[in-house]
Amino acid sequence: MKKIIMTMAAAVVALTMYAQGMYVGGSMGFSTTSYDGSTQRTSISFVPEFGVSFNDHIGVGMEIGYSTEKDESNKAVKTIKSNTFRFAPYFRFTAFQLGKVGVFADGKFSYSTSTDKTEYTQVGKTNVEQTVNSIGLYVQPGIAYSLNNKFSLVAKFGNILGYTSSKPDVLAENAFQEALAHFNQRTQKIQEVAWPVIQQVYEAQGQMYERIMVPITDGRHMYNIGCNLKEAYESKAKTVVKEFEKQMLLHIIDDAWKENLRELDELRHSVQNASYEQKDPLLIFKLESVKLFDNMVNTMNNRTVNILTRAAIPQMQREEVQEASPEEHTDRHQYNEIKQPTQPESQPQRQQEQQRPEPEPTNPIVKDKMPGRNDLCPCGSGKKFKNCHGKGLV
């Protein structure tokens, strides 16, 4: 398709070299509409146009348009945004000219691509984005009123003949259907594995037990899901899957909400530093808390899908089940417990020990207090200590 469009554009450019006259125009539009009392639609369009005229009756041109629409619900349920790009080369034939008024018809080939995005504000709903590619061949009549030699007013009417083919981008839809089929296969496998055990327990010991615990794993963690035995028997283990989905979702929401509260508490202390940057801490807290809430919702969705699409009941294959071997006991009678007395010391060693001299007791060293500089010397000379024996020491 891109090659075809580029070929047509090259053809138009080539024809302009031999054109007698060239024209440039276009249209712009803005509209806002309120309907159903709760929804408001806003549309903006910009469609430039240029072409060449070979004579008074024949010409070629091209339209390149961009438009955007936004449907916003007053109840804040969802918002639909649509962006469209259109490329439409055409062949123009002017049927007749009555003074300043001319009647013409455009034979158009149109290619457009539109991206529609639905954003939900309710928790638990995922935003949806879809791309639609369209091709059309149609005839569009119009009237041109010549103001002077350079300006004209052109009015175009709706398509009277044409064919349009639209093809949505099915990649996202196919991925969703594949994931849904995989999820249904997992839940069906859980029912098939749990049903024989539930049936056996209910028919054999249904009077003894009211609730049962079913182990389910996602490959990393084990979850014991409690459910009513009678309801599981009557629904053929369908309630096991429902209880698993419900309990997992509540558990994930509880963990995510507690983590969000912890992050909000940290944010409440950290935003105080925004005042050093001349920013309002309250405003920063509001903006960042919205981001934390969105991250919490995305985390809950990812964890829920991750667990539910990997859920399975653990089981062992029969060929892997083996009888446990008896515990080996060692015969203790083959060991003799003999207590050997310690060997007595030899006679030479005893004599050598007796001949060793006993160590002399040592007295502690007592350090006398040194006299002061101006004290009398303890030798009895009558001189000061600094001038007698303490000379050179103090």
Side-chain angles (χ1 to χ4, degrees), residues 122-300:
Q122 294 178 345
V123 178
K125 291 190 176 182
T126 306
N127 298 338
V128 179
E129 185 174 351
Q130 186 180 20
T131 302
V132 180
N133 300 320
S134 302
I135 298 176
L137 292 171
Y138 47 87
V139 178
Q140 185 178 27
I143 297 177
Y145 178 78
S146 179
L147 299 177
N148 50 42
N149 294 333
K150 295 184 178 180
F151 295 97
S152 299
L153 297 179
V154 178
K156 297 181 180 181
F157 305 98
N159 305 327
I160 58 175
L161 295 174
Y163 169 78
T164 303
S165 176
S166 299
K167 183 179 180 181
D169 189 1
V170 296
L171 180 60
E173 183 65 21
N174 291 341
F176 173 75
Q177 295 298 334
E178 289 290 337
L180 184 61
H182 176 72
F183 171 73
N184 294 332
Q185 183 180 3
R186 284 280 184 175
T187 56
Q188 185 66 26
K189 183 65 175 179
I190 293 176
Q191 297 179 20
E192 293 176 358
V193 175
W195 167 240
V197 180
I198 294 175
Q199 183 181 15
Q200 180 182 2
V201 173
Y202 182 81
E203 294 177 354
Q205 302 174 343
Q207 302 297 332
M208 299 176 57
Y209 303 105
E210 181 179 358
R211 296 179 60 83
I212 59 173
M213 301 292 291
V214 180
I216 298 180
T217 179
D218 62 345
R220 292 182 297 179
H221 305 284
M222 183 72 67
Y223 308 98
N224 292 323
I225 307 302
C227 59
N228 187 277
L229 178 59
K230 183 178 180 180
E231 294 179 357
Y233 177 78
E234 293 176 351
S235 63
K236 294 184 178 180
K238 291 183 179 180
T239 57
V240 175
V241 178
K242 292 183 179 179
E243 288 292 331
F244 171 68
E245 295 173 356
K246 181 177 68 175
Q247 295 183 21
M248 285 299 98
L249 184 59
L250 292 177
H251 174 71
I252 292 173
I253 292 176
D254 184 64
D255 286 349
W257 181 247
K258 289 189 292 186
E259 180 65 19
N260 183 65
L261 293 179
R262 187 190 65 79
E263 293 177 350
L264 287 176
D265 187 65
E266 293 181 355
L267 178 63
R268 183 171 60 88
H269 291 85
S270 61
V271 295
Q272 302 300 328
N273 297 328
S275 59
Y276 295 104
E277 302 177 5
Q278 304 299 322
K279 296 180 181 179
D280 186 8
L282 181 59
L283 180 60
I284 300 298
F285 178 81
K286 291 180 179 179
L287 296 176
E288 295 297 329
S289 62
V290 172
K291 296 180 181 179
L292 292 178
F293 184 82
D294 293 339
N295 293 336
M296 180 193 69
V297 175
N298 294 332
T299 301
M300 289 191 301

Side-chain angles (χ1 to χ4, degrees), residues 5-42:
I5 294 175
M6 293 302 297
T7 303
M8 291 184 177
V12 172
V13 173
L15 289 175
T16 57
M17 298 175 61
Y18 306 95
Q20 295 180 356
M22 183 174 181
Y23 61 90
V24 178
S27 62
M28 297 179 61
F30 173 80
S31 65
T32 175
T33 307
S34 178
Y35 58 95
D36 296 337
S38 60
T39 305
Q40 184 176 2
R41 172 178 295 177
T42 303

